Amino acid sequence: MANTDAPNGFRPYRGSANGNPKIGYHVLNTTNSALGVGTVVAIVAGGTDVWASGALLGIAAEAKAANAGGTASTKMLAVWDDPEQEFTAQTDNGTGTSTAEAAVGLNIDILNPSSVTSGRSTSELDETSATTTATLPLKILGLESRPDNAFGEFNRLVVKINNHQLKGGTGTAGV
């Protein structure tokens, strides 16, 4: 059975706090990009915004319109920011390592981190980027266990932030 192509950003999977996701609140950049639930975010100059490269803060737990950070009622952003939080996300349609069981333990990059549709992120895992490089932002922990998901194109993987801003330092190399 083929996996469905339905990217919807990152979703919390298992958390370290009794299995529940932990939400932190972070100052939103006054000139923030549009953020959807499931958008990868980082602390940047001026506040929290869409991640572009380097270490991550976490995943947006709420949607925010572009430039929403300027008023008192909207200047905070809810973020799943626990360094031990696990997430699920879909791989893109490339033909890379992350479509096979051998990808478990490797690190992986993110595609389209700022892509948002109807308040939801549509970013994906970059299927062709799975490798041992320690500076990649995410680590692959396995295949999301659900009946409509199998290794192959558009599979949904369980990942953890490898380079986390609250943890400090470069992530670990993949195996």
Side-chain angles (χ1 to χ4, degrees), residues 1-14 87-91 120 142-151 154-158:
M1 174 167 128
N3 296 318
T4 303
D5 181 13
N8 53 15
F10 291 78
R11 295 179 179 178
Y13 189 64
R14 286 183 292 252
F87 299 94
T88 64
Q90 175 186 294
T91 58
R120 183 82 203 170
L143 186 70
E144 182 181 4
S145 179
R146 50 191 267 185
D148 62 343
N149 190 39
F151 281 109
F154 307 124
N155 56 191
R156 295 194 63 79
L157 298 175
V158 177

Side-chain angles (χ1 to χ4, degrees), residues 76-174:
M76 300 301 280
L77 177 68
V79 177
W80 290 299
D81 63 0
D82 182 351
E84 299 306 314
Q85 176 68 49
E86 297 175 9
F87 299 94
T88 64
Q90 175 186 294
T91 58
D92 67 324
N93 64 348
T95 54
T97 310
S98 62
T99 60
E101 192 170 354
V104 175
L106 294 177
N107 297 330
I108 193 165
D109 207 351
I110 300 159
L111 278 177
N112 307 316
S114 61
S115 177
V116 176
T117 302
S118 300
R120 183 82 203 170
S121 170
T122 57
S123 58
E124 300 173 277
L125 298 168
D126 182 0
E127 196 168 299
T128 60
S129 70
T131 187
T132 59
T133 306
T135 56
L136 285 172
L138 303 168
K139 182 170 295 292
I140 300 170
L141 301 178
L143 186 70
E144 182 181 4
S145 179
R146 50 191 267 185
D148 62 343
N149 190 39
F151 281 109
E153 187 177 53
F154 307 124
N155 56 191
R156 295 194 63 79
L157 298 175
V158 177
V159 296
K160 181 178 172 182
I161 298 174
N162 188 42
N163 288 313
H164 201 291
Q165 288 182 315
L166 299 180
K167 208 170 184 181
T170 301
T172 60

Side-chain angles (χ1 to χ4, degrees), residues 52-77:
S53 65
L56 306 174
L57 171 62
I59 307 298
E62 64 180 329
K64 292 284 186 175
N67 303 314
T71 65
S73 64
T74 59
K75 92 165 56 161
M76 300 301 280
L77 177 68

Side-chain angles (χ1 to χ4, degrees), residues 31-57:
T31 58
N32 65 287
S33 302
L35 299 168
V37 175
T39 298
V40 182
V41 296
I43 299 170
V44 299
T48 305
D49 208 343
V50 173
W51 168 86
S53 65
L56 306 174
L57 171 62

